[in-house]
Amino acid sequence: MVNTKINLCGIEIDNPVIPASGTFGFGYEFAEIYDINCLGTFSFKGTTKDPRFGNPTPRIAECDSGMINAVGLQNPGVEKVISDELPKLKACFNKPVMANVSGFSVEDYAYTVEQLDSQDQIGWFEVNVSCPNVHGGGMSFGTSPEAAAEVTAAVRNVTDKPLFIKLSPNVTDIVAIAKACEAAGADGISMINTMLGMRIDLKTRRPVIANKMGGFSGPAIKPVALRMVYQVYEAVKIPIIGMGGIATAKDVIEMMLAGATAVQVGAQNLVDPFACRDIINDLPSVMKKYGIDDLTSIIGGAH
Amino acid sequence: MTQGLYEIIKNDALTSTVYKMVIKGDTSAITAPGQFVNLKLEGKFLRRPISICDYDDTSITLVYKVVGEGTEQMAEMKAGEVIDVLVGLGNGYSLDKCGEKPLFIGGGVGIPPLYNLCKKLIKAGKTCTVILGFNNADEIFLEDDFKALGANVIVTTVDGSYGTKGFVTDAMKDINYTYFFTCGPMPMFKAIESTAVTSGQYSFEERMGCGFGACMGCSCKTKYGNKRICKDGPVLEREEIIW
Ligand SMILES: Cc1cc2nc3c(=O)[nH]c(=O)nc-3n(C[C@H](O)[C@H](O)[C@H](O)COP(=O)(O)OP(=O)(O)OC[C@H]3O[C@@H](n4cnc5c(N)ncnc54)[C@H](O)[C@@H]3O)c2cc1C
Ligand SMILES: Cc1cc2nc3c(=O)[nH]c(=O)nc-3n(C[C@H](O)[C@H](O)[C@H](O)COP(=O)(O)O)c2cc1C
Ligand code: FES
């Protein structure tokens, strides 16, 4: 028997496979087609202080081995997430869930995390710092070590639950940002969010996405994600949740060898709704094939 | 929703750009006409949404137009090949409000999802009138199929090369109907909206990430709140649509 269990900041999870925020809703769409309790956990849709409709459509563009999305953090707002979404989720998922939070000011982040903190269902926070800071000229919090640290410290103040900061890859030095978050009190780093991208329609000669640019993800970004996880693993002591293009059990192992303690699966859920279930089922045989008895033993194994 | 491998039974050209594909497999997830399927194509990351034109216990008929790389690839597929399909997506049309004389208005490749709906309502004893809108005579498809169901069929062509010259709305004016169902391009919807005298249902298209409600890629605002075209739609009621 191989061991797929992982300790993620003090909470043991059955396997390191976690659907990524924004690609799994609040779980119940998937619960209609399989028992999602097989998952390690999952990260729910990015939640903000106020309800958001998000960007105009088209929000989606296909790419070679990936896709661009410009959903714009559509969510019902933290109040409705607590009153409507979490009870529905509880009915189909009996493990602790990861709460993904976004904001447009430091106060927004702290408010939303504080509201969610009292919910027993929530095991971890994953704070997405890829959003524009409305008080900082629209620059993303995740592009400067100081701004990322400021968000981390503010959120750290309002929760004792394990706190992951989710980093943007659209930066020159992701290591400096990861270190700043660690120093400000983060318990872990989640990486990577989507890469800024664009597609242009040859017939209309205009960008496909109404917002023009959007977040590129899927198998095409896996090499970038691996490289960044590898670099950050060398620089921080806290655990990393690695993501970007994960689609198979082999990808999970590759990402863990780069330094990830757990992995998330994003875009693949959209084109193959059974992706996470299938990856979890495939893991033991792929582990055997590569001589792995215990997944924990391979974390950072490529260093 | 179910996922499965479906065998292609037929894949024939109806016009120079429109094809009819029949696939064989489990259809138990289909709950209403107007739902759609999402097809995985070799080498394409996203699936392709196509309406269910007709179905029975073991097969699904799709009618699609070649507009880009994915549909071009579909047109080249042969009987016997196998295709990965998500089945039973979307809400579909609801049949219970249509009165005795429903009108069906289809524009171009918006026509297919109306076929099984019309079949069901004719079986239910309704007097069905169908307006099929095309640009010209060469583009016409499914006219005979609707006639064979027993519907009263009117074809309009923009250039007048067949049937009534003009747009679907030019034909609508003379018809006495109790309700309407439509699918087609946005300019046609806007013309219908200013012509129609009863309630009705519109079926919308949007670029999709997943097709089953998970990604929020296809959202729109309605008078009843935000909806996802893929899950809460593609069919919306006239009363809720914000134009
Ligand atoms: C609910 C629904 C039902 C549909 N039913 C039918 C049908 O019965 N018959 C038919 O011919 N067509 C139908 N369409 C449109 C069909 O999905 C597109 O024509 C097809 O996806 C084009 O793929 P492509 O690779 O050939 O084009 P490309 O332009 O190369 O596709 C690139 C990307 O854009 C997407 N895309 C392009 N056009 C559309 C469009 N109009 N709507 C949604 N996504 C699009 C593709 O899916 C793909 O992800 C339907 C669309 C929706 C949303
Ligand atoms: C449609 C879509 C919506 C997303 N929404 C969010 C979000 O709300 N919050 C967030 O932190 N990341 C969001 N992401 C990013 C993913 O969680 C993930 O970091 C990224 O897609 C990389 O993984 P992948 O290559 O497996 O897709 C979204 C991604 C997609 C494709
Ligand atoms: S396409 Fe994903 S929610 Fe509609």
Side-chain angles (χ1 to χ4, degrees), chain B:
Chain B
M1 172 175 80
T2 53
Q3 179 184 22
L5 293 176
Y6 289 72
E7 187 190 335
I8 298 174
I9 301 297
K10 246 199 267 193
N11 193 22
D12 302 332
L14 298 180
T15 73
S16 63
T17 54
V18 174
Y19 289 73
K20 175 171 162 177
M21 181 187 276
V22 182
I23 56 176
K24 196 176 147 192
D26 179 20
T27 61
S28 60
I30 303 172
T31 56
Q35 287 188 307
F36 65 97
V37 300
N38 221 352
L39 306 164
K40 178 107 189 90
L41 302 173
E42 189 64 36
K44 293 278 172 274
F45 189 70
L46 296 179
R47 289 172 182 264
R48 297 297 187 269
I50 302 288
S51 302
I52 296 168
C53 173
D54 197 15
Y55 67 100
D56 57 27
D57 290 345
T58 56
S59 74
I60 301 172
T61 302
L62 309 171
V63 172
Y64 62 94
K65 183 175 180 175
V66 173
V67 297
E69 285 180 19
T71 43
E72 211 164 276
Q73 222 169 296
M74 283 173 66
E76 280 158 20
M77 297 185 82
K78 302 268 180 294
E81 284 184 56
V82 164
I83 186 165
D84 172 342
V85 193
L86 297 177
V87 176
L89 305 179
N91 59 351
Y93 292 105
S94 60
L95 281 62
D96 46 8
K97 297 179 187 163
C98 72
E100 286 312 306
K101 287 187 270 176
L103 173 64
F104 304 76
I105 315 155
V109 282
I111 293 167
L114 299 173
Y115 179 77
N116 182 266
L117 173 69
C118 182
K119 191 185 208 176
K120 287 208 160 66
L121 288 174
I122 281 180
K123 233 181 227 157
K126 312 289 181 187
T127 307
C128 298
T129 303
V130 181
I131 307 174
L132 306 176
F134 301 97
N135 287 310
N136 57 60
D138 296 337
E139 287 186 359
I140 296 170
F141 60 90
L142 292 186
E143 181 193 8
D144 296 339
D145 304 71
F146 277 100
K147 281 186 175 156
L149 291 178
N152 165 28
V153 180
I154 301 160
V155 172
T156 66
T157 54
V158 177
D159 69 356
S161 51
Y162 188 96
T164 307
K165 182 175 161 65
F167 298 101
V168 291
T169 41
D170 295 319
M172 262 172 92
K173 296 191 177 98
D174 310 321
I175 298 165
N176 176 9
Y177 55 96
T178 51
Y179 197 80
F180 70 91
F181 298 98
T182 182
C183 183
M186 198 47 104
M188 183 187 97
F189 279 2
K190 294 206 164 139
I192 291 172
E193 189 54 24
S194 59
T195 309
V197 295
T198 66
S199 312
Q201 295 169 33
Y202 290 80
S203 181
F204 286 84
E205 273 186 5
E206 189 49 83
R207 299 246 174 181
M208 292 184 175
C210 63
F212 53 88
C215 72
M216 301 290 159
C218 64
S219 298
C220 69
K221 290 182 180 162
T222 75
K223 289 176 190 157
Y224 308 157
N226 300 336
K227 290 202 169 182
R228 296 157 297 182
I229 294 294
C230 73
K231 178 95 179 174
D232 313 307
V235 178
L236 300 181
E237 296 195 350
R238 184 178 192 186
E239 289 67 33
E240 67 181 309
I241 299 165
I242 300 172
W243 293 99

Side-chain angles (χ1 to χ4, degrees), chain A residues 49 102-111 132-135 141 151:
Chain A
K49 178 168 172 266
S102 286
F104 301 90
S105 69
V106 174
E107 297 73 32
D108 274 11
Y109 279 106
Y111 176 85
N133 176 0
V134 290
H135 302 308
F141 288 98
V151 174

